[in-house]
Amino acid sequence: MEVRQLKYLLSIGREGTFTAAAEKLFISQSALSQQVKSMEEELGVPLFDRSRNRLHFTEAGALLHQRAKHIVREVEEAKKAIHELEQLYRGTLRIGVVQTINAYLIPKIVAHFSSRYPEVQLRVHELSAPEIERQLSEHELDLGLSFKPTDYPKLTFDPLFEEELMLIVNPQHPFARREEVEAKALESEQLMLLSEGYCTRRIWDEAAKMADISPKVLIEMNTISSLLSALEDHPKAGTILPALTMKMKAAHGLSAIRIVHPSPTRTAGILWRAQGYRSKASRKLAEIATNMVQELKQ
């Protein structure tokens, strides 16, 4: 059985019919059918239930399909590793980044990396933490700059730094001159927050639950810059965002107040597939990110 045949099997599984799969593979339907027949003869079992309009795997076919995913991935990663021995640091690096890191740290990291390794094409995708975890686990990303994963145990996490979530307000807000505020004091405040599903929102919701409060959510938005801009029109409202947010241009003139009892915090770091191949380019970018964070701490 050849890797090429396993790729054909994966394509049929995705497309659902021999005709659609053949079109995607740029081969004739008869050639594809012959390859499947060859695999079935070699294994001695049918791989598809052909009694329905849309193809369905038999039990044996489903088992081979699942194994084929891993085999093809391993072969592709082996080819990639060998290619790097001949072409040092060439290729494409796909990175998933959460909003605050993308807005503040990534421009510096990317500029430094690209000046040293101009042959590598960087593709940076700003995504939510759960989406980074999903895409990384499904091999759609090479690494992620995000938070400790919660739903994907097969991902590993190298911590970079820990930061607090802050109450950020307009200078006209009653809390603007305070250095800190207790979480309970926010129960009667109007808050503008990131939408549910974002890691920052999840951390704040957990802190509010610990403080036994249910603050009023005035507005939900999907971007940090939008929340910061909205503070101009809502001087009596506040938002809760990571401390790094105050490094953004959109935060100029705003005030950040520590939240205590409890103090919501998050740990940012680098996400990898636990047993996945780590290219030299990805390891170098992780090294640059680590060194840059250490410099900022000094």
Side-chain angles (χ1 to χ4, degrees):
M1 193 176 302
E2 302 175 7
V3 173
R4 172 172 55 93
Q5 292 174 316
L6 296 178
K7 289 182 177 179
Y8 290 170
L9 187 73
L10 294 178
S11 183
I12 296 170
R14 285 193 300 270
E15 303 303 324
T17 66
F18 278 67
T19 302
E23 290 178 357
K24 288 286 185 180
L25 294 166
F26 299 103
I27 62 174
S28 67
Q29 182 177 338
S30 60
L32 180 59
S33 297
Q34 184 57 45
Q35 290 297 323
V36 172
K37 182 179 178 182
S38 176
M39 286 191 287
E40 290 178 328
E41 289 176 349
E42 180 178 346
L43 295 170
V45 292
L47 299 176
F48 294 95
D49 178 358
R50 296 172 172 81
S51 64
R52 309 178 186 181
N53 292 332
R54 182 179 174 88
L55 287 175
H56 289 268
F57 285 113
T58 60
E59 187 175 356
L63 176 61
L64 181 61
H65 180 258
Q66 188 62 35
R67 294 296 180 90
K69 290 181 181 179
H70 297 291
I71 293 170
V72 171
R73 284 174 183 170
E74 289 295 328
V75 170
E76 292 299 324
E77 289 194 351
K79 288 167 64 177
K80 185 177 180 180
I82 292 170
H83 176 72
E84 281 198 342
L85 292 176
E86 299 296 326
Q87 306 291 333
L88 189 62
Y89 302 139
R90 295 188 183 275
T92 300
L93 190 58
R94 302 162 302 173
I95 311 163
V97 191
V98 292
Q99 278 192 59
T100 43
I101 295 178
N102 192 33
Y104 178 59
L105 281 179
I106 276 293
K108 297 179 175 64
I109 293 171
V110 166
H112 190 78
F113 181 90
S114 295
S115 67
R116 293 181 62 183
Y117 311 109
E119 302 90 351
V120 180
Q121 180 186 18
L122 292 177
R123 293 181 181 174
V124 181
H125 304 277
E126 183 178 287
L127 303 165
S128 66
E131 185 62 14
I132 290 173
E133 294 172 22
R134 185 194 68 77
Q135 290 195 24
L136 189 58
S137 68
E138 295 182 5
H139 293 248
E140 296 174 14
L141 297 173
D142 296 304
L143 76 159
L145 291 172
S146 183
F147 312 108
K148 193 169 184 178
T150 57
D151 299 324
Y152 295 85
K154 291 186 178 180
L155 298 180
T156 60
F157 181 75
D158 296 336
L160 285 175
F161 61 90
E162 185 174 278
E163 67 173 346
E164 294 183 49
L165 301 189
M166 312 285 282
L167 172 66
I168 300 176
V169 299
N170 185 291
Q172 300 177 41
H173 193 280
F175 292 164
R177 296 184 180 277
R178 294 193 187 184
E179 292 186 1
E180 63 181 40
V181 61
E182 290 196 7
K184 283 189 175 183
L186 300 180
E187 182 164 29
S188 58
E189 295 299 311
Q190 295 182 339
L191 297 178
M192 300 184 294
L193 303 175
L194 287 171
S195 301
E196 293 181 0
Y198 283 89
C199 182
T200 300
R201 174 66 180 273
R202 186 170 65 242
I203 293 171
W204 163 245
D205 285 346
E206 290 173 357
K209 186 176 180 180
M210 290 177 62
D212 195 25
I213 60 173
S214 299
K216 179 181 178 181
V217 180
L218 180 66
I219 298 174
E220 288 186 347
M221 293 185 174
N222 290 328
T223 65
I224 290 172
S225 58
S226 296
L227 287 171
L228 296 176
S229 296
L231 290 176
E232 294 183 12
D233 298 320
H234 297 81
K236 302 302 181 181
T239 185
I240 295 175
L241 295 169
L244 266 182
T245 301
M246 296 305 293
K247 301 289 186 179
M248 297 171 61
K249 290 182 179 179
H252 180 71
L254 300 177
S255 300
I257 303 101
R258 289 189 66 236
I259 302 170
V260 296
H261 305 137
S263 297
T265 60
R266 67 178 190 177
T267 302
I270 303 170
L271 280 174
W272 310 88
R273 283 184 293 279
Q275 298 179 352
Y277 171 69
R278 299 184 184 184
S279 67
K280 289 184 179 179
S282 64
R283 284 183 276 125
K284 283 297 179 182
L285 186 133
E287 180 183 311
I288 289 171
T290 301
N291 292 339
M292 193 157 290
V293 168
Q294 293 302 317
E295 290 176 6
L296 290 171
K297 288 180 179 179
Q298 296 175 359

